[in-house]
Amino acid sequence: MARQYPLDKVRNFGIIAHIDAGKTTTSERILFYTGISHKIGEVHDGETVTDWMDQERERGITITSAAVSCGYTKTDGDPKNDADRTNFNIIDTPGHIDFTAEVKRSMRVLDGAVVVFDGVAGVEPQSETNWRYAEEAKVPRVCFINKLDRTGASFERSYESILSRLSKKAIRMQIPIGEEGDHEGAVDLLKMKAYYFDGVMGENVREEEIPENLKADAEKFRAELVERIAENNEDMLDTFLEGGEFTIEQLKEGLRKAVIANAIFPVFTGSALKNKGVQLVLDAVVDYLPSPLDLPPVEGVDPKTGEEVTRAPKDDEPFSALAFKLQTDPFVGSLTFFRVYSGTVKAGSYVYNSTSGQKERLSRIVRMMADKREEVEEVYAGEIAAAVGLKDVKTSHTLCDENDQIILDQITFPEPVVAMRIEPKTKADQEKLGLALRKLSDEDPTFKVSSDEETLETIIAGMGELHLEILVDRMKREFNVEANVGKPQVAYRETIQGTSEVEHKYIKQSGGKGQYGHVKLKLAPLEDLEEDAKVAKNVKREEGFEFINNIKGGVIPQEYIPAVEKGIKEAMTRGVTAGYPLVNVSVDLYDGSFHEVDSSEIAFKLAAIQAFQEGAKQAKPVLLEPIMKVEVYTPEQFMGDINGNLTSKRGHIESMDDVEGGMKLLHAKVPLSEMFGYTTTLRSMTEGRGNMSMEFDHYEVVPANVAKEIAEARGTA
């Protein structure tokens, strides 16, 4: 089967935004204008294609990223001519901070993004987080200021918020024709034409001359746009400085290069709900966002030699792909979403998982339409698809050709900050609960399951209260598991602020063969290194932990070193202050001894556990708590009460901004432990007119008096 679209006609992009900015509404218009759906589903009716889960439709929010493949013909193209069609692989991502992992993993495998903003609110907290993820992944972006039909909408105010809070590289590509109830269309500053959207669903795009009242602004902003494009292109800059003119095609070509280089972020506008402006954003995706050919070859490591290798986006290169999402499908079982970076793969062939070293048969391949599937025989370089039935593949695993191996960079996810106890309601639910927890934690890397060694209770941890609530609801609906859950708890951590040097001998004689393990350790705080810092061969670094093997002359045989490392890792799961996991610790194994007969792996593991615990107690251990970035919108008259209330919660007020309509926006950093149930408190303090958003910012040392209370409550003080 031949490739359906040439590679330069493929666009892999995501739709990202703060919650309620209109991502899913925009996605529904895209599906309609590309011919995938013949009826536009609305979020408020619970009939959307990309929000297909029951929980999404009931709450009107996106919870899981949905992948969609479709073909699109630009507004100035011929729908009957296949050469004018571009293949879109789109991922509609969640906007709620609790489901931030979906955005993070999507950014890793996408080539571009459409960032949607609310025309009333402008840049919101999750807009900043998503933008940061896109920056980390170096993903080119197109901005869409949505909801210009709403009361209080302002294109200029939203545009200014992008410049001030996200990037000075943003530039207007359009200005709106009217705002709020008078919003009719948009002026294209490149073509200097006005565009209106006729028909029941805005499907007929009409080009007109610019209204007289907007001509002066359009000319002024077009001059800014042309100057910005020329600034980023040496060939064009000379012509611009000499007063020369450019054709539309020259400007488009210069802008495309600048967008792909992340030097310019073009800004468009409209109202997805009122079917205005979406097609012009899709035209921009075709014109300015990269195809896989526009990006450098993907980099990875050869697992056999440890050397860096690359793979170009070509069908005749060795096969390589990254699994970025797992999903349990009620009809076909386990689905593994993957992005092909090079080569091709056929249904029924074997693939090699270079991360785990396992070989598996890829029985079926499907292209996803949110919750629907289309079977395909073969997937090519640059495409996104899902595999049915892969058993041992997890998120971030690399699939490749066994004869030409590569391990691609893994996706890193934020650590969970909220935990709760969970137990099955009946004996019959016990086995089902274990299965459900395993499947859900495979799907979602920010959902962690552990057990409390003392109480033997099962602990689940996630990104927020809503995150855990949704997962418990999914257990009930998808896995028929009834469970009792405790109150949400803060996921505290522990670390050390000093250094220590300890040794421990584990000696046991009980008749017959004894046990002997002897280690000497140095403990120190782990300093954050730059990403590209080279780590010595005898140092193993993982997230929040470093193990240095400084054993010389075989004083501890090599076969016992992994047991020492394993013991230290086990000891780190239960800290010495309040029993929470220890993080950011560097451990240097520098000396020890062994016994020819009595030494064993278990003896060295136990020696390491006890040495580490002793060392941690001597190295100034402290408790860490998650600090949240909190934004509160409130009428001005309640500012004093809210300010005082947040301060009483150990909060630090950072700034206050004026917002339209006599509202204030307060920025603060507050410990998570003080914020449970705050939404209800805020509503009662502001007569129901205030609202807030909150996201994890960083971990900070808990004040000594509070740490003492936490330790006493845990029974460790």
Side-chain angles (χ1 to χ4, degrees):
M1 190 178 112
R3 176 190 275 280
Q4 192 176 357
Y5 291 91
L7 203 50
D8 64 337
K9 289 282 187 181
V10 172
R11 300 288 182 276
N12 299 313
F13 67 98
I15 301 176
I16 60 175
H18 184 89
I19 189 170
D20 208 27
K23 279 182 323 320
T24 301
T25 304
T26 304
S27 299
E28 291 299 313
R29 269 65 191 168
I30 293 172
L31 297 183
F32 179 78
Y33 298 135
T34 55
I36 290 297
S37 57
H38 303 289
K39 172 181 176 289
I40 292 180
E42 302 295 4
V43 173
H44 50 264
D45 294 332
E47 294 179 353
T48 55
V49 174
T50 53
D51 280 0
W52 54 272
M53 289 170 64
D54 292 339
Q55 292 90 340
E56 293 177 311
R57 291 181 169 178
E58 287 166 12
R59 289 170 168 81
I61 63 168
T62 305
I63 291 167
T64 183
S65 52
V68 177
S69 293
C70 51
Y72 175 71
T73 303
K74 284 174 58 184
T75 50
D76 58 1
D78 178 3
K80 293 177 183 174
N81 183 0
D82 286 346
D84 282 356
R85 283 176 77 75
T86 303
N87 181 43
F88 286 171
N89 292 308
I90 308 167
I91 297 182
D92 174 34
T93 63
H96 196 288
I97 185 62
D98 283 12
F99 309 104
T100 188
E102 295 289 338
V103 183
K104 184 103 177 178
R105 64 166 134 213
S106 299
M107 287 299 97
R108 173 65 176 78
V109 296
L110 293 171
D111 302 330
V114 173
V115 191
V116 182
F117 300 92
D118 185 323
V120 179
V123 173
E124 297 174 90
Q126 189 62 13
S127 315
E128 295 184 71
T129 304
N130 292 340
W131 192 272
R132 190 173 71 247
Y133 290 157
E135 283 284 304
E136 287 170 6
K138 299 183 174 63
V139 170
R141 276 142 277 169
V142 165
C143 303
F144 177 49
I145 296 176
N146 187 27
K147 298 193 176 186
L148 271 209
D149 60 303
R150 280 184 63 199
T151 303
S154 166
F155 173 79
E156 282 304 314
R157 191 175 68 245
S158 299
Y159 174 67
E160 286 301 323
S161 72
I162 294 172
L163 292 178
S164 62
R165 294 179 66 178
L166 298 182
S167 175
K168 298 286 184 197
K169 297 176 187 174
I171 189 74
R172 298 174 192 83
M173 290 295 292
Q174 298 175 338
I175 54 173
I177 302 171
E179 291 178 346
E180 300 181 325
D182 300 324
H183 180 54
E184 295 180 65
V187 172
D188 185 311
L189 298 175
L190 213 55
K191 295 180 180 176
M192 288 299 278
K193 294 288 181 185
Y195 288 90
Y196 301 88
F197 303 87
D198 303 330
V200 180
M201 300 299 180
E203 63 271 26
N204 301 320
V205 182
R206 174 165 50 94
E207 183 181 287
E208 299 282 352
E209 293 304 313
I210 299 172
E212 282 298 322
N213 64 324
L214 292 175
K215 275 188 176 172
D217 279 350
E219 282 166 8
K220 180 177 79 171
F221 294 138
R222 186 182 199 272
E224 277 182 23
L225 175 62
V226 172
E227 183 178 353
R228 183 71 70 81
I229 295 169
E231 276 176 8
N232 286 284
N233 188 304
E234 285 183 25
D235 298 334
M236 295 177 75
L237 187 57
D238 293 338
T239 307
F240 177 77
L241 293 173
E242 289 163 10
E245 293 291 321
F246 301 106
T247 65
I248 298 288
E249 288 311 311
Q250 284 175 319
L251 288 169
K252 277 189 170 182
E253 189 183 336
L255 181 57
R256 178 177 175 76
K257 286 178 180 173
V259 171
I260 291 170
N262 279 318
I264 291 180
F265 302 117
V267 182
F268 296 81
T269 189
S271 166
L273 185 65
K274 294 294 166 63
N275 310 308
K276 291 179 172 65
V278 175
Q279 295 99 311
L280 299 185
V281 176
L282 296 183
D283 286 357
V285 168
V286 176
D287 287 337
Y288 308 123
L289 289 186
S291 76
L293 289 175
D294 294 310
L295 298 169
V298 68
E299 295 179 351
V301 173
D302 185 328
K304 293 176 181 173
T305 64
E307 292 177 4
E308 280 194 12
V309 285
T310 59
R311 292 281 188 275
K314 295 178 182 175
D315 294 342
D316 55 2
E317 285 261 312
F319 170 66
S320 67
L322 185 73
F324 66 93
K325 177 178 167 69
L326 271 65
Q327 182 177 306
T328 302
D329 188 287
F331 302 103
V332 297
S334 175
L335 281 172
T336 305
F337 288 78
F338 61 95
R339 157 76 190 262
V340 181
Y341 284 97
S342 63
T344 66
V345 65
K346 288 185 178 178
S349 61
Y350 281 87
V351 291
Y352 183 72
N353 182 341
S354 54
T355 312
S356 68
Q358 301 290 320
K359 193 174 175 182
E360 285 197 63
R361 186 168 179 269
L362 206 158
S363 57
R364 291 161 62 199
I365 305 174
V366 292
R367 276 211 183 86
M368 295 304 294
M369 291 301 313
D371 62 336
K372 296 183 176 64
R373 298 154 300 281
E374 174 201 346
E375 293 230 10
V376 292
E377 286 299 311
E378 192 168 4
V379 185
Y380 300 87
E383 295 186 336
I384 291 173
V388 178
L390 292 178
K391 292 182 176 64
D392 297 318
V393 177
K394 301 283 185 286
T395 300
S396 252
H397 282 192
T398 301
L399 305 175
C400 65
D401 183 335
E402 190 176 5
N403 299 320
D404 220 321
Q405 294 178 25
I406 184 173
I407 296 180
L408 302 171
D409 282 350
Q410 297 214 338
I411 311 168
T412 56
F413 293 100
E415 282 295 307
V417 292
V418 175
M420 60 168 63
R421 286 171 164 72
I422 186 167
E423 61 182 22
K425 274 193 178 173
T426 66
K427 192 93 172 159
D429 287 317
Q430 190 145 9
E431 196 173 317
K432 288 193 290 184
L433 177 67
L435 177 70
L437 290 174
R438 193 177 76 248
K439 287 198 170 180
L440 290 172
S441 61
D442 282 348
E443 276 186 34
D444 184 348
T446 60
F447 176 56
K448 299 285 173 71
V449 182
S450 60
S451 93
D452 189 311
E453 287 179 15
E454 289 182 358
T455 62
L456 299 178
E457 291 174 304
T458 301
I459 311 292
I460 56 174
M463 298 306 295
E465 291 175 83
L466 179 64
H467 186 199
L468 294 178
E469 183 189 320
I470 295 284
L471 287 163
V472 171
D473 190 37
R474 284 187 63 193
M475 280 180 223
K476 186 176 177 181
R477 296 194 199 200
E478 294 173 31
F479 300 96
N480 298 314
V481 177
E482 294 286 346
N484 297 319
V485 293
K487 286 184 179 177
Q489 309 274 322
V490 178
Y492 292 102
R493 295 283 183 271
E494 297 183 23
T495 191
I496 55 172
Q497 292 187 316
T499 59
S500 65
E501 209 167 309
V502 288
E503 74 171 300
H504 188 86
K505 282 184 182 177
Y506 179 78
I507 304 171
K508 196 169 184 183
Q509 289 296 144
S510 55
K513 188 175 182 293
Q515 295 285 359
Y516 182 92
H518 174 210
V519 296
K520 292 184 181 181
L521 305 177
K522 290 176 186 171
L523 275 64
L526 175 62
E527 294 178 10
D528 294 329
L529 287 187
E530 294 297 320
E531 273 183 47
D532 59 352
K534 299 293 179 192
V535 176
K537 281 187 178 177
N538 67 329
V539 178
K540 275 184 76 176
R541 175 163 289 124
E542 297 172 14
E543 189 71 32
F545 171 58
E546 178 182 76
F547 178 68
I548 305 169
N549 174 12
N550 264 331
I551 293 300
K552 304 282 193 299
V555 291
I556 297 177
Q558 196 59 39
E559 65 262 30
Y560 299 137
I561 305 293
V564 174
E565 184 187 352
K566 195 174 177 183
I568 292 165
K569 282 185 181 176
E570 194 173 301
M572 285 178 69
T573 61
R574 190 165 183 82
V576 295
T577 303
Y580 290 102
L582 265 151
V583 294
N584 296 341
V585 181
S586 173
V587 182
D588 181 355
L589 172 64
Y590 69 94
D591 201 359
S593 64
F594 75 104
H595 188 279
E596 288 284 357
V597 177
D598 291 349
S599 282
S600 65
E601 287 186 11
I602 190 69
F604 273 99
K605 181 183 171 184
L606 292 169
I609 289 172
Q610 290 170 24
F612 181 85
Q613 287 172 340
E614 288 168 28
K617 285 174 186 171
Q618 298 169 26
K620 298 181 186 169
V622 289
L623 198 59
L624 300 172
E625 65 180 340
I627 304 296
M628 309 304 283
K629 183 163 74 173
V630 178
E631 294 199 350
V632 180
Y633 292 86
T634 174
E636 193 166 353
Q637 68 259 40
F638 304 114
M639 273 303 297
D641 292 345
I642 288 166
N643 219 324
N645 181 259
L646 286 177
T647 306
S648 72
K649 292 177 177 293
R650 298 192 284 125
H652 171 62
I653 311 298
E654 295 195 315
S655 64
M656 284 178 244
D657 300 330
D658 290 316
V659 188
E660 289 290 307
M663 300 286 280
K664 288 272 191 181
L665 174 59
L666 184 146
H667 304 266
K669 298 275 175 65
V670 192
L672 174 62
S673 58
E674 304 281 353
M675 291 302 291
F676 288 123
Y678 183 70
T679 305
T680 309
T681 308
L682 179 65
R683 283 180 187 145
S684 63
M685 286 171 66
T686 60
E687 299 170 1
R689 294 160 65 195
N691 62 60
M692 56 86 74
S693 62
M694 178 172 76
E695 65 173 292
F696 171 72
D697 191 73
H698 66 283
Y699 270 95
E700 202 171 89
V701 176
V702 178
N705 60 322
V706 179
K708 189 181 176 188
E709 287 174 20
I710 294 166
E712 284 172 355
R714 295 269 289 183
T716 56

